[in-house]
Structure formats: C-alpha cells, structure tokens
Amino acid sequence: MERYYDVAQNCLFSKTRTVSRYVTNLYTKALKEIGVTPVQYSMLTAIQILREGNINELSSALKMDRTTINRNLKPLLRDGHVYVNESKDKRERVVSITKEGEEIYDKGYKEWQKAQEELRAEIGEENWSELNAVLDSVIKVIAEK
Amino acid sequence: MERYYDVAQNCLFSKTRTVSRYVTNLYTKALKEIGVTPVQYSMLTAIQILREGNINELSSALKMDRTTINRNLKPLLRDGHVYVNESKDKRERVVSITKEGEEIYDKGYKEWQKAQEELRAEIGEENWSELNAVLDSVIKVIAEK
DNA sequence: CCTTTTTATGTGTATATGCACATTGTAGCA
DNA sequence: TGCTACAATGTGCATATACACATAAAAAGG
C-alpha cells in the first residue's frame, strides 16, 4: 500500500510530465492564432539559428530524436514554413526557413512573449527563476552525454 | 536575429519539454522489461490509490485530460492490467486494477526505484532535490486551478 | 411529469515521440 | 578499384496528448 503513495508523491517522471503538459497547453493556446504549435515554433527557432541545418544537426540542437525531427518537419513543410534542399552529400537534406516562415515567426514572437509572461505570473517569480535555473542545469547534464 | 537566441535560451516551454523527453526515455527503458510505459505505470498508481475511480477522478488525480485518460486506458485494458465496471449511474465507468495488474505493479516498483536512482545519479543530488521542490511547488499552483 | 441543463463519456482528427528496421550514399582500406 | 564499414535518412509501429464535436443519462426546475 505504501508504495503507491511513494510513487504518487515522489516520482520525478510524473512531476516532470505533469508540469510539461501544463506548460505545453499554455503555450499552445498562446500560439494557436498564428497557426503553429510550440514544438513547431521551437523548431523554427533552431532552423533560423542554424540557417542551413540537416536533420542530425537539428536533432542535436533540439535534443530531440532524429526521427521525431523528421516527422515534425512535415507540417512545417506542408504549411510552407520551411523548405528542404539537397546537399552535395546526397544522403543529407538541408532544412531552411521560408519567407512565410519568417513572417509567422515574427508574429509568433509576441505571442511567445505573452506566454512566457503568463506562465511567470501563474507560477510566480520565485518558481519561474528556480525552474529556469534547475532546468538549465539539467539540460547541461543532458548536453554533455 | 536576437530574438532567435531569446527564444532558444529563455523559452521555458522548450526547457521543460527537453527535460521531460529525457526523463521519459530514462523511465521508459527502466520499465520496458515489465511491459509498461511510465505513463501507464503512473496511471496504475492512481488506479490503486483510488481503488474504484471513474475517468474524471483519474483525470483529476493525474492532472491529465479526460480524453487522454480514456485513450491511455486502452492498452491497460488490452493487456489485462485493469478492468472497467458499470456504475449505478449508467454514464459512469469505474476503473479498477486486476490481479495481474497488481503483480506487474509490484515487479515494476523495483524498476521504478532504479529509474529514480539512475536519474538522481545522472543529474546530481542538488539538481534532484531542487527539481523535486520546484515541480512540487508548480504542481501545487496547477492543482489550485 | 416534462423540459432544460448539466454531467460523464466516447470519437475524429492532428500533433509529438522514439525504437526497430530498412535504404542509400560516402568514406576507408587493402 | 572493389569491398566493407559507417553515416544520413526514411518508415512501420505503438504510445501520448488534447481540442472539438457528439451522445446518453442524470439532475434541476417549473
């Protein structure tokens, strides 16, 4: 019997996931009117920074599985936010943002800022800064692997 | 140009999501041999605590969308880990754990503990306790809504 | 008691996620 | 050069997630 409560109260997976769902829903609503999901918005960010990145580079930058990058590119391609070029290395595909993608991005920036502010207000200044700090620290560990 | 880096470095959605993916993968591997995902394991936990819970109660306990609960129950039903009974209120469906579900749960407890220990070792004691504390605090905010 | 409202749930659709497996192209080496 | 190892990507499959819409049953109110 006790073990149920052990898991329910102490599982870091559940906690992380619960907060992730909550945060995701908040950003999803904020970005909805411009027609991208927050995951797509973060992918556009990485694509802009890389300018011309292949799938492995995006995978590495976003710390997201290679095959997930592949799938997540599809709605962005379909909606004309990004395009893909071949490379000299015929195995490789190079992803770039389109003009329309940039426009969407700029529009979304305000909504993203609003989402950040809304979340900060919801959880409070102290949680906000502590959450940022500890997540940065954990991501650093992840990046070193 | 600057805004790309603003989003890339400061987006709490991305940070939360990145850590969530990482943590999920770790617990997924740990629980793989007993044949349940970490989400399923956390659902079994809630089902055990509630003993007889309907979908809304599970939704509330797990802070997961009602329709997500519905879908996530399907593999658990298929695999015989849980069963569903009707209630006096014919709209309602009451979910309980099976004997096999309990056995799976007990086996999984060791793996869950290992996953917790592994994550703690990976990210370090300080990150572990800070992450726990701030997530608890944020979940408290979520619960109050 | 009948109508209206509320409640509990299910389904269609779309995105997100990652493992296992397959394919194709490049590089390295004898 | 030709074979082998490796590297980049795609696909099948399964789970996870939530919104919009639909249905059926209970509760409320006259």
Side-chain angles (χ1 to χ4, degrees):
Chain A
M1 200 58 167
E2 256 172 33
R3 57 180 54 181
Y4 311 151
Y5 295 95
D6 185 14
V7 179
Q9 289 168 22
N10 302 320
C11 182
L12 197 47
F13 161 78
S14 299
K15 294 181 191 180
T16 306
R17 192 96 177 181
T18 297
V19 170
S20 177
R21 279 194 300 268
Y22 169 71
V23 170
T24 297
N25 292 343
L26 195 149
Y27 283 72
T28 299
K29 280 172 193 125
L31 290 170
K32 190 172 188 181
E33 56 185 280
I34 63 151
V36 296
T37 65
V39 168
Q40 288 166 7
Y41 198 77
S42 65
M43 288 188 64
L44 289 179
T45 305
I47 291 166
Q48 303 240 41
I49 289 174
L50 291 175
R51 301 311 301 170
E52 295 195 316
N54 65 24
I55 290 185
N56 279 334
E57 288 164 344
L58 284 172
S59 170
S60 173
L62 291 161
K63 288 160 194 61
M64 203 179 279
D65 189 86
R66 173 183 76 67
T67 66
T68 303
I69 300 286
N70 189 341
R71 320 272 179 163
N72 290 358
L73 281 175
K74 297 198 172 166
L76 292 173
L77 281 163
R78 182 200 57 203
D79 298 340
H81 299 333
V82 304
Y83 63 96
V84 169
N85 275 333
E86 287 195 353
S87 169
K88 280 166 223 164
D89 184 337
K90 292 291 169 61
R91 293 170 299 183
E92 194 185 17
R93 298 202 317 156
V94 176
V95 183
S96 305
I97 196 163
T98 62
K99 207 112 199 168
E100 298 80 37
E102 280 182 10
E103 285 166 21
I104 290 285
Y105 192 86
D106 291 341
K107 270 190 228 164
Y109 186 68
K110 277 192 199 70
E111 309 307 321
W112 172 77
Q113 284 179 314
K114 270 194 255 176
Q116 293 266 104
E117 285 313 312
E118 189 183 342
L119 179 56
R120 194 206 290 246
E122 288 280 355
I123 69 178
E125 193 63 42
E126 194 175 329
N127 282 330
W128 172 269
S129 56
E130 282 182 12
L131 191 53
N132 266 290
V134 70
L135 291 177
D136 283 341
S137 178
V138 171
I139 288 168
K140 208 171 157 193
V141 173
I142 297 172
E144 280 164 4
K145 300 192 71 178
Chain B
M1 199 58 167
E2 256 172 34
R3 58 180 53 181
Y4 309 150
Y5 294 96
D6 183 15
V7 179
Q9 288 168 22
N10 302 319
C11 182
L12 198 48
F13 162 77
S14 298
K15 294 181 192 180
T16 306
R17 193 98 176 177
T18 297
V19 170
S20 177
R21 280 194 299 270
Y22 170 72
V23 170
T24 298
N25 292 343
L26 195 149
Y27 283 72
T28 299
K29 279 171 194 128
L31 290 170
K32 189 171 187 181
E33 58 185 280
I34 63 151
V36 296
T37 66
V39 168
Q40 288 166 7
Y41 198 76
S42 65
M43 288 188 66
L44 289 180
T45 305
I47 291 166
Q48 302 239 43
I49 289 174
L50 291 175
R51 299 314 299 170
E52 294 195 317
N54 65 24
I55 290 185
N56 279 334
E57 287 164 345
L58 284 171
S59 170
S60 172
L62 291 161
K63 289 160 193 61
M64 202 179 281
D65 188 88
R66 172 183 76 68
T67 67
T68 303
I69 299 286
N70 188 340
R71 319 270 180 166
N72 290 358
L73 281 174
K74 295 195 174 168
L76 293 173
L77 281 163
R78 182 201 56 202
D79 298 340
H81 299 333
V82 304
Y83 64 95
V84 169
N85 275 334
E86 288 194 353
S87 169
K88 281 167 223 164
D89 183 337
K90 292 291 171 61
R91 294 170 299 181
E92 195 185 16
R93 298 202 317 155
V94 177
V95 183
S96 305
I97 196 162
T98 63
K99 207 113 199 169
E100 297 80 37
E102 279 183 10
E103 285 167 21
I104 289 285
Y105 191 87
D106 291 341
K107 270 189 229 165
Y109 186 68
K110 278 192 197 71
E111 309 308 320
W112 172 77
Q113 285 179 315
K114 270 194 254 176
Q116 294 265 104
E117 285 313 312
E118 189 183 341
L119 179 57
R120 193 205 291 244
E122 287 281 353
I123 68 178
E125 194 63 41
E126 196 175 328
N127 282 330
W128 172 269
S129 55
E130 284 182 10
L131 191 53
N132 266 291
V134 69
L135 291 178
D136 282 342
S137 178
V138 171
I139 289 168
K140 208 171 157 192
V141 173
I142 297 172
E144 280 163 5
K145 301 191 70 178

